[in-house]
Amino acid sequence: AMSSSPTHLSFLAGRLSPPFSSERVGLRPQRVEVRIPKSRFSCSAGQSGFFSRLGRLIKEKAKSDVEKVFSGFSKTRENLAVIDELLLFWNLAETDRVLDELEEALLVSDFGPKITVRIVERLRDDIMSGKLKSGTEIKDALKGSVLEMLAKKNSKTELQLGFRKPAVVMIVGVNGGGKTTSLGKLAHRLKNEGTKVLMAAGDTFRAAASDQLEIWAERTGCDIVVAEGEKAKAATVLTKAVKRGKEEGYDIVLCDTSGRLHTNFSLMEELIACKKAVGKVVSGAPNEILLVLDGNTGLNMLPQAREFNEIVGITGLILTKLDGSARGGCVVSVVEELGIPVKFIGVGEAVEDLQPFDAEAFVNAIFS
């Protein structure tokens, strides 16, 4: 059969080997001509499989690290512990008082007003219709509501790295949100899965940023591309890094960018230039643009997230510093308001504490 013949195999490799001329296998010459550029074969299904497996593997490993997520959300859990007390001796006559206090607990934990009202009204309807008859059932329904909000819009929580090597990931955000640290911790996680990672020090505004990233490169055993000269443009550094990634067979290029206020128009314009620059080197890049948000700011993160999303199109969120925050509900708020998936959460200072986001683990951690 044609499908198993050596001729067909060599045809797939992009050439016809000498012993099998077109005449010998009875094909017209034009049928044998391979007009597909070789690059098409370099982004084969094998590589596509590699990247999708990598995304799944990182996500699966998060499930074994549930304890980290649990301890990371201890302050939010303390905030919401009042719900257990309210529901312990549940009776129908107390419905209004209990739901008012439950609403307050959710608001204090930064479940936004809109989300809180929606959750509470749904519970009220189900209690009044007799669907929920005990404190345990109400608690389960509450957890189910939150999980549904996260799962509905958050289906792609694993990294989407496309099918060409190198995959390019851009990290963006305001100063002080934990951008460079998140990039370093992400590199550590990817390196542990056996990927060849190249870092790009695209933060050319902050003098110490490049040094900070070089320390992370050393710690994680990754290579790094830094700016040459003082006035190098970020887009130039990222272009150089992605070209090197392509030429030297790197799996992933992680690009740092300058921290900027979402209200600084010229710096936001620079992000657009960075995005276009890497796309010229590798078609379809960047595969991910991850926005780092400081969990301590709670709902205040929403305006800056909207702005960044409008300018460059954010594909995923990294929420940092959640271990020090009692505002874990902001995770639900940001997903519900923006429809952008949370990809990673920072639940501690250690290098392993940037955790792939798992909606179920999160809900169990805040409503234990």
Side-chain angles (χ1 to χ4, degrees), residues 153-207:
K153 292 188 177 175
N154 221 16
S155 52
K156 292 186 176 175
T157 52
E158 66 272 15
L159 286 171
Q160 306 292 305
L161 298 172
F163 55 90
R164 280 182 180 83
K165 287 186 183 182
V168 181
V169 178
M170 260 173 74
I171 310 282
V172 303
V174 302
N175 274 326
K179 205 163 31 66
T180 307
T181 303
S182 294
L183 190 150
K185 289 179 179 181
L186 181 56
H188 170 78
R189 201 169 268 282
L190 292 166
K191 194 85 197 292
N192 279 357
E193 299 306 336
T195 56
K196 192 179 176 188
V197 178
L198 179 64
M199 293 179 176
D203 184 348
T204 52
F205 278 85
R206 193 165 59 92

Side-chain angles (χ1 to χ4, degrees), residues 238-296:
L238 300 196
T239 299
K240 183 182 167 189
V242 177
K243 276 183 178 168
R244 182 178 161 190
K246 197 175 176 181
E247 287 158 12
E248 297 180 24
Y250 284 87
D251 296 312
I252 297 170
V253 182
L254 294 178
C255 303
D256 197 12
T257 59
S258 303
R260 62 207 68 220
L261 283 170
H262 55 290
T263 48
N264 185 325
F265 186 72
S266 64
L267 283 179
M268 292 300 265
E269 283 278 290
E270 187 201 66
L271 275 189
I272 299 169
C274 289
K275 184 180 176 179
K276 284 179 180 170
V278 298
K280 282 178 185 169
V281 184
V282 175
S283 178
N287 304 87
E288 292 269 18
I289 301 178
L290 302 179
L291 172 63
V292 177
L293 294 167
D294 182 342
N296 281 312

Side-chain angles (χ1 to χ4, degrees), residues 89-107:
F89 302 108
W90 162 255
N91 71 74
L92 196 57
E94 296 282 300
T95 301
D96 287 340
R97 181 187 67 81
V98 168
L99 289 180
D100 282 351
E101 289 191 40
L102 190 146
E103 186 174 296
E104 195 177 320
L106 292 174
L107 286 169

Side-chain angles (χ1 to χ4, degrees), residues 46-83:
Q47 287 188 16
S48 171
F50 166 77
F51 282 134
S52 55
R53 274 199 308 277
L54 177 67
R56 279 200 307 274
L57 196 62
I58 288 172
K59 184 107 188 275
E60 284 305 310
K61 286 198 173 174
K63 297 194 175 181
S64 62
D65 288 339
V66 168
E67 198 47 54
K68 282 199 174 101
V69 177
F70 193 80
S71 57
F73 283 99
S74 56
K75 290 193 177 175
T76 302
R77 194 165 51 254
E78 283 165 28
N79 254 2
L80 296 169
V82 67
I83 293 172

